[in-house]
Amino acid sequence: MSAALSSQPAIAETVDALRAIVRGYRAEGETVALVPTMGALHEGHLQLVREGRKSADRVIATIFVNPTQFGPNEDFARYPRDQEGDLAKLASAGANAVFLPTVAVMYPPGFATTVTVSGVSEGLCGAFRPGHFAGVATVVTKLLLQALPDAALFGEKDYQQLQVIKRFARDLDIPVSIRGVPTVREADGLALSSRNAYLTSAERAVAPRLHGLLVEIAEKLRAGEDAAPLLAAGMDRLREAGFGPVQYLAFVDAETLAPLDRAERPGRLLVAAYLGKTRLIDNIPVAPQGA
Ligand code: AMP
């Protein structure tokens, strides 16, 4: 369906309006999937919406650039924003409703609660972005409780975030199924990201090496090689290619995110590195040897 022909999603700007929309769906006996985003939408986000449509009658997308998940020196102020373009894309992907809260709606005066998740939040991005996952966990907890959908969809692109969300949803008995969706990539392997817009054309040409390196290392891990030397050599190769600082290149258990020495059970290979001023992350699954 073209964007021009698709019906316009309902818009909610307050929690009451969002709940009224969900009540309407429930009154018809319909199931609901939620797709939280920070906007500046691309095909990766739209894939979450399409996957949501496959498993639920209605999909509600949310657009909220959440200030509490950005550090003081991060890109909150310059994060790309394009509400009009986003709404057209969501309509074309088949979203039925969009929740567009302001900061005052999400964090009214007196707001004093933070959801922190130990364990899975602590290493990897958590070590370099203090407070980031508490900001994510708090805002996603609110969105899940505001909409109370049957399912919520998140990208594997942000793999640690996905594990953090699965953890607190389980721990807090939030009755929503948390679903991961595989990363959508450019033809050259670069994971789609709103932050790719920051890359210069020279950086854009180098950026796909991040994924290329993960694929090469994953093959060697599957062949039984030890992780430590592969990871050390991989960090060097990223620096030689022009990345830096390389924050981490890690091989971990796919669920707990604890470091793994070898591919003896389902693992995940993850990387975070700057390219110029842009921080890029990526990850791929590593099946155990012989699987
Ligand atoms: P963001 O707007 O960056 O907060 O992302 C919103 C959701 O889209 C998160 O669940 C992300 O993991 C997901 N997402 C972002 N990029 C991709 C991608 N390339 N493929 C699949 N999902 C993605």
Side-chain angles (χ1 to χ4, degrees):
M1 200 188 299
S2 77
L5 291 176
S6 53
S7 59
Q8 290 307 306
I11 303 285
E13 292 179 336
T14 64
V15 178
D16 283 350
L18 172 69
R19 288 190 168 141
I21 289 170
V22 175
R23 256 198 318 278
Y25 298 154
R26 297 296 188 199
E28 301 294 319
E30 293 172 330
T31 55
V32 177
L34 192 76
V35 175
T37 81
M38 297 204 300
L41 301 181
H42 51 62
E43 274 301 310
H45 300 110
L46 302 185
Q47 185 65 18
L48 302 184
V49 172
R50 292 189 200 104
E51 286 296 319
R53 293 285 322 227
K54 284 190 202 160
S55 60
D57 300 311
R58 300 284 184 168
V59 172
I60 303 175
T62 77
I63 299 177
F64 180 60
V65 185
N66 175 34
T68 67
Q69 70 188 71
F70 289 80
N73 299 317
E74 294 186 354
D75 56 347
F76 174 68
R78 69 179 186 120
Y79 195 82
R81 290 163 170 87
D82 176 18
Q83 187 168 305
E84 209 178 306
D86 288 346
L87 291 177
K89 288 175 191 167
L90 289 171
S92 71
N96 302 101
V98 185
F99 181 40
L100 298 168
T102 59
V103 172
V105 163
M106 293 304 271
Y107 302 112
F111 188 89
T113 301
T114 303
V115 178
T116 58
V117 183
S118 50
V120 286
S121 283
E122 283 163 12
L124 305 170
C125 288
F128 292 92
R129 303 185 71 188
H132 169 69
F133 287 119
V136 169
T138 303
V139 81
V140 175
T141 299
K142 283 175 67 78
L143 292 168
L144 295 178
L145 296 176
Q146 287 163 344
L148 277 179
D150 299 281
L153 292 93
F154 299 89
E156 289 183 351
K157 157 83 185 351
D158 300 282
Y159 191 79
Q160 187 176 16
Q161 167 176 285
L162 174 62
Q163 300 312 313
V164 168
I165 292 168
K166 283 184 173 171
R167 185 72 258 164
F168 76 69
R170 214 177 305 156
D171 291 352
L172 299 179
D173 302 309
I174 297 178
V176 177
S177 157
I178 305 300
R179 291 187 39 208
V181 175
T183 303
V184 178
R185 300 179 180 279
E186 303 280 7
D188 60 14
L190 177 64
L192 297 190
S193 165
S194 307
R195 290 189 169 100
N196 292 350
Y198 301 151
L199 297 171
T200 65
S201 58
E203 289 163 356
R204 174 64 189 80
V206 172
R209 300 234 195 142
L210 209 55
H211 178 245
L213 183 81
L214 293 183
V215 171
E216 275 179 42
I217 296 177
E219 232 163 73
K220 292 180 177 159
L221 286 167
R222 267 193 291 266
E225 290 191 34
D226 287 343
L230 289 174
L231 298 174
M235 301 224 357
D236 287 343
R237 283 184 53 200
L238 286 175
R239 291 186 194 104
E240 285 157 19
F243 291 86
V246 179
Q247 291 190 327
Y248 62 80
L249 173 61
F251 181 49
V252 300
D253 179 281
E255 195 177 331
T256 65
L257 308 187
L260 287 181
D261 295 330
R262 270 173 299 280
E264 282 161 349
R265 54 179 185 275
R268 204 88 191 176
L269 189 58
L270 301 100
V271 66
Y274 276 86
L275 187 53
K277 291 195 169 85
T278 308
R279 183 175 181 274
L280 298 176
I281 58 171
D282 202 350
N283 67 86
I284 61 172
V286 182
Q289 288 165 251

